[in-house]
Amino acid sequence: MMNKNQNDVENTFMKTSDILTILQKKIHTVIMATIDEHHHPMTCAIDLMLYEDDTLYFLTARGKAFYERLMAHPYVALTGLKGEDTLSSVAISLQGKVKNIRHEKLKEIFEENEYMKDIYPNEQARDVLEVFRFEDYQGEYFDLSQKPLIRIPFSYQRPLPKGRYQVLDNCIGCLKCYDVCPQKCIDITQTPVKIIQKHCLHCAKCVEVCFQQAIVRI
């Protein structure tokens, strides 16, 4: 378990705080998935109200089914997307455990999100709202507007998400992986060759063509 934000060492140009600031301030409205009483996934649009102290905050009203799902199964997954089309898009995914902190941070949330005062205009109306905080999370930043694309895993109080590919020592440097890589994100100046993680699509074509079985998913 980590006790602070952890980033891929190859991606130090963008910190977890940078990514979560983009998610909360620039994307703001995300699609969040929870689990219902039948253990089926349910989604809804949720605004991320505040980023503070290395974590994110959102709220909902006690009468909503979303609230009931959060209280029964306090784990969520979300995706935020911003861009005019696919090749101008930034997508951020995040999964983690949330905690109900009731009215804590409610004042700060209304100060930062002025539009909420039009929906819940007074203290009496706001009493029904309860705030949730992410206790831990892991996720990924994926930017298709860059060439080559940028992929950055991040986490807080959790290991980094799995799914990356790594070249083992039995690589002979045949370069078949480089020939088929759509992003050409393989450093072939050394043997074994090295996958440049921040540009990798995770398509696994390199795995398919490696007759040495020298590329594995980690």
Side-chain angles (χ1 to χ4, degrees):
M1 295 286 287
M2 312 298 173
N3 58 12
K4 60 181 180 179
N5 288 345
Q6 177 181 8
N7 288 285
D8 188 317
V9 293
E10 291 185 293
N11 294 308
T12 54
F13 67 94
M14 180 175 279
K15 299 177 181 179
T16 299
S17 58
D18 299 327
I19 296 171
L20 295 185
T21 297
I22 292 170
L23 183 60
Q24 192 267 315
K25 291 188 178 296
K26 294 187 177 181
I27 297 177
H28 194 63
T29 302
V30 301
I31 301 302
M32 187 176 291
T34 52
I35 301 172
D36 69 10
E37 67 273 21
H38 305 294
H39 298 281
H40 295 158
M42 301 285 290
T43 62
C44 54
I46 295 295
D47 287 354
L48 296 176
M49 296 296 186
L50 187 67
Y51 171 58
E52 192 176 89
D53 303 324
D54 291 329
T55 195
L56 291 164
Y57 298 83
F58 62 96
L59 54 71
T60 190
R62 288 190 297 272
K64 293 187 177 183
F66 176 59
Y67 176 89
E68 295 177 359
R69 297 196 299 270
L70 288 170
M71 296 302 291
H73 304 284
Y75 295 88
V76 304
L78 65 83
T79 295
L81 181 68
K82 190 175 184 65
E84 295 181 1
D85 53 36
T86 298
L87 292 181
S88 68
S89 293
V90 170
I92 301 175
S93 61
L94 185 147
Q95 311 86 40
K97 182 179 180 180
V98 298
K99 180 181 180 180
N100 183 333
I101 58 172
R102 296 185 57 78
H103 292 158
E104 185 180 343
K105 299 292 182 181
L106 191 61
K107 180 180 178 181
E108 292 93 326
I109 285 173
F110 271 79
E111 287 175 352
E112 181 158 326
N113 301 273
E114 289 288 330
Y115 68 91
M116 288 296 294
K117 296 175 183 178
D118 291 332
I119 305 171
Y120 295 93
N122 54 54
E123 295 295 331
Q124 185 176 7
R126 295 170 197 173
D127 179 69
V128 77
L129 297 172
E130 294 190 6
V131 180
F132 288 79
R133 176 183 68 209
F134 276 90
E135 294 286 280
D136 58 55
Y137 54 79
Q138 61 177 209
E140 187 174 74
Y141 173 93
F142 191 62
D143 189 348
L144 277 169
S145 71
Q146 304 293 319
K147 295 189 182 301
L149 62 83
I150 300 293
R151 181 192 295 274
I152 306 174
F154 62 90
S155 67
Y156 175 72
Q157 304 283 32
R158 281 191 179 194
L160 285 170
K162 296 181 179 181
R164 297 181 294 166
Y165 292 89
Q166 178 176 303
V167 182
L168 304 178
D169 290 339
N170 60 319
C171 166
I172 62 173
C174 71
L175 307 189
K176 289 185 180 295
C177 57
Y178 182 82
D179 290 341
V180 300
C181 177
Q183 291 292 303
K184 301 302 180 192
C185 62
I186 300 175
D187 181 358
I188 58 176
T189 64
Q190 56 185 307
T191 302
V193 300
K194 183 180 180 181
I195 297 172
I196 305 170
Q197 298 292 341
K198 65 183 178 182
H199 300 314
C200 180
L201 267 174
H202 293 181
C203 69
K205 187 62 180 178
C206 57
V207 177
E208 293 181 0
V209 302
C210 182
F211 59 86
Q212 287 290 110
Q213 297 183 325
I215 306 176
V216 297
R217 188 177 185 181
I218 59 173

